[in-house]
Amino acid sequence: MKYRTVAVTTAAALAATALLSGCGSDDGGDEQAASGPASLTYWAWAPGLDKVADIWNKGPGKEAGITVTVKKQASGDDLVTKIITAAKAHKAPDLVQAEYQALPTLVSNDVLADISKEAGDAKGDFAEGVWQQTTLGSDALYALPQDSGPLMFYYRQDLFEQYGLSVPTTWDEFAETARALKKKAPDKDLTTFSSNDSGLFAGLAQQAGAEWWTTGGDKWKVAIDDPATQKVADFWGGLVKEGAIDNQPMYTPAWNKALSTGKQIAWVSAVWAPGTLTTAAPDTKGKWAMAPLPQWTAGENITGSWGGSSTAVTNDSKHRKAAAAFAKWLNTDPEALAALVKESGIYPAATAAQTGGALSKAPDYFSNQPGFYTEAAKIAQGTAPAAWGPNVNVAYSAFKDNFAAAAKDRSDFGAALTAMQDATVADLKKQGFGVSE
């Protein structure tokens, strides 16, 4: 499942130290026992979460006297705005489903509670890079990972064989594969660089070691144009400029047709790609295969993330321990995880649930690759940390505007990256955040 990324900034922004120290109602729910009676409200958008909550309510929750009611919400910026507004009125729900990228915004707005005491012992259940997204690099824990979107390489197995191509294991090999295909079939492209979904570019930058937002003292540091991201931008910009790959956006009728007809024979995407391919190119079912993302250094196993969300407890909850107990159960208990896969269609962040059970069988679209989820789990273990800030929406908007123009004109991606950096820094300053140069 793919979730679009959003963040909302506020006019009177809190200092970055508040982000790291976990400001807000310090121990509001700590006096509450992890057992009831307690009636909790959970705002979420993933389908079927009410059915998963029913398992809790009839089992562990019943024993503890804790009932959870799921209230379906819109996803993306709608939910972020709604939860911040509710928190300002001290009417936020007990729990909320939050995208990883939105966590700094919610923490900066004093929405989320630090549940490290209640659920910090779950760290070992998740890949280190995924866990880091819920701690924001601090000693606090602002949510528990729910689902993740590790990046992978998808390719038309039949066409790779037809054109005598090898699956690239490094980005250098990826570039050579793109050029080799162009020589053999000038009307075809290995893939396209798309500017209409910023999350893919962010994930590729993460794999290269980028840390776009970090904090020091009471200031934010923005490094969107750091050497790692410059390397990624130059790589893709170079391929677009020389015509080795296409420069058209994803998710359009033309893109669907390119996948269906074999005009585009590969796609860098995330673990949820089978669902998208089922809709975009249904007639090519069984012709695709998945492999690890090409590496910058041969032999490594590092990937980035595209999408994913977490379960957080709010500062308004009067039953923090009870809410944290449910959040922990939801994202670590085998029965809960199996239900999340079945009812919500997610790829669980918990490593133990990434193979076997509901994921013991490959996606129907990839029936030709029975070890799909076994391979995916190995790839997910190498998920790189991500460093998000309080104005992801501004950065992503700047990416779409500037990279779209650069891709269309086949011009310098470095200039587009600088514009993205400048727009993000200017917005932080405008919103009142301290920014270190």
Side-chain angles (χ1 to χ4, degrees):
M1 177 175 295
K2 181 171 76 71
Y3 301 128
R4 302 195 69 177
T5 303
V6 295
V8 179
T9 55
T10 58
L14 299 177
T17 47
L19 174 68
L20 296 178
S21 61
C23 56
S25 48
D26 189 24
D27 291 316
D30 284 356
E31 294 180 0
Q32 300 288 343
S35 59
S39 295
L40 309 177
T41 302
Y42 179 20
W43 285 6
W45 71 83
L49 277 176
D50 54 336
K51 296 179 181 178
V52 184
D54 283 344
I55 297 174
W56 164 270
N57 292 334
K58 294 174 182 177
K62 185 176 181 180
E63 295 176 7
I66 303 169
T67 302
V68 175
T69 301
V70 176
K71 292 193 175 181
K72 191 74 176 288
Q73 306 293 320
S75 61
D77 54 352
D78 291 336
L79 179 54
V80 174
T81 301
K82 184 175 181 179
I83 192 71
I84 290 174
T85 301
K88 287 182 178 179
H90 299 293
K91 294 182 179 179
D94 298 277
L95 299 124
V96 62
Q97 183 180 6
E99 291 175 286
Y100 297 119
Q101 297 92 328
L103 290 176
T105 300
L106 296 176
V107 173
S108 293
N109 282 278
D110 200 15
V111 175
L112 305 184
D114 174 6
I115 55 172
S116 55
K117 294 179 181 178
E118 294 83 2
D121 59 347
K123 179 178 180 180
D125 290 281
F126 306 94
E128 185 176 348
V130 175
W131 181 261
Q132 181 269 347
Q133 295 195 72
T134 59
T135 66
L136 309 187
S138 71
D139 293 329
L141 176 64
Y142 295 108
L144 280 168
Q146 182 163 301
D147 60 299
S148 63
L151 290 175
M152 302 163 181
F153 179 71
Y154 294 87
Y155 64 100
R156 278 285 297 271
Q157 198 168 28
D158 57 334
L159 295 180
F160 262 59
E161 292 176 0
Q162 178 180 331
Y163 294 112
L165 304 175
S166 298
V167 178
T169 60
T170 66
W171 288 113
D172 284 342
E173 290 178 1
F174 179 94
E176 289 305 315
T177 301
R179 296 178 184 118
L181 176 64
K182 272 297 177 186
K183 290 181 179 178
K184 297 178 179 181
D187 61 329
K188 296 186 181 294
D189 296 289
L190 179 63
T191 191
T192 187
F193 177 85
S194 176
S195 61
N196 65 350
D197 198 319
S198 319
L200 174 55
F201 184 75
L204 291 170
Q206 290 162 22
Q207 186 210 22
E211 292 185 338
W212 284 0
W213 287 268
T214 54
T215 56
D218 59 352
K219 294 183 178 181
W220 283 97
K221 180 176 176 59
V222 181
I224 290 174
D225 62 351
D226 66 358
T229 310
Q230 288 175 5
K231 178 171 66 174
V232 174
D234 290 346
F235 175 81
W236 288 92
L239 291 177
V240 168
K241 187 174 184 178
E242 71 176 84
I245 61 173
D246 200 3
N247 61 345
Q248 301 302 309
M250 301 178 290
Y251 314 132
T252 64
W255 182 72
N256 291 347
K257 184 177 180 181
L259 294 177
S260 298
T261 62
K263 183 182 184 303
Q264 179 180 321
I265 70 170
W267 182 30
V268 174
S269 188
V271 69
W272 42 258
T276 301
L277 290 171
T278 299
T279 302
D283 295 338
T284 60
K285 172 185 174 183
K287 297 180 179 180
W288 291 78
M290 179 270 286
L293 196 66
Q295 301 292 303
W296 288 105
T297 301
E300 289 187 338
N301 176 35
I302 303 174
T303 192
S305 297
W306 186 5
S309 63
S310 64
T311 309
V313 177
T314 72
N315 275 320
D316 283 347
S317 178
K318 293 181 173 60
H319 305 281
R320 183 180 302 183
K321 284 188 176 180
F326 170 75
K328 184 177 178 181
W329 172 86
L330 180 66
N331 298 298
T332 63
D333 180 83
E335 185 179 10
L337 291 166
L340 281 173
V341 173
K342 178 183 177 182
E343 304 294 348
S344 302
I346 71 164
Y347 183 72
T351 55
Q354 291 173 351
T355 56
L359 296 180
S360 58
K361 183 181 178 182
D364 188 49
Y365 194 89
F366 283 79
S367 57
N368 57 307
Q369 192 174 8
F372 182 95
Y373 283 119
T374 300
E375 180 68 19
K378 294 177 183 176
I379 294 170
Q381 280 296 315
T383 301
W388 304 111
N391 62 341
V392 173
N393 63 321
V394 172
Y396 275 25
S397 178
F399 169 84
K400 292 178 182 179
D401 292 343
N402 292 284
F403 278 81
K408 181 180 179 180
D409 299 338
R410 300 185 185 275
S411 59
D412 181 22
F413 277 21
L417 186 64
T418 299
M420 184 180 172
Q421 164 82 13
D422 292 345
T424 306
V425 170
D427 177 74
L428 279 179
K429 291 179 178 179
K430 179 181 178 181
Q431 299 301 331
F433 287 96
V435 180
S436 61
E437 299 299 334

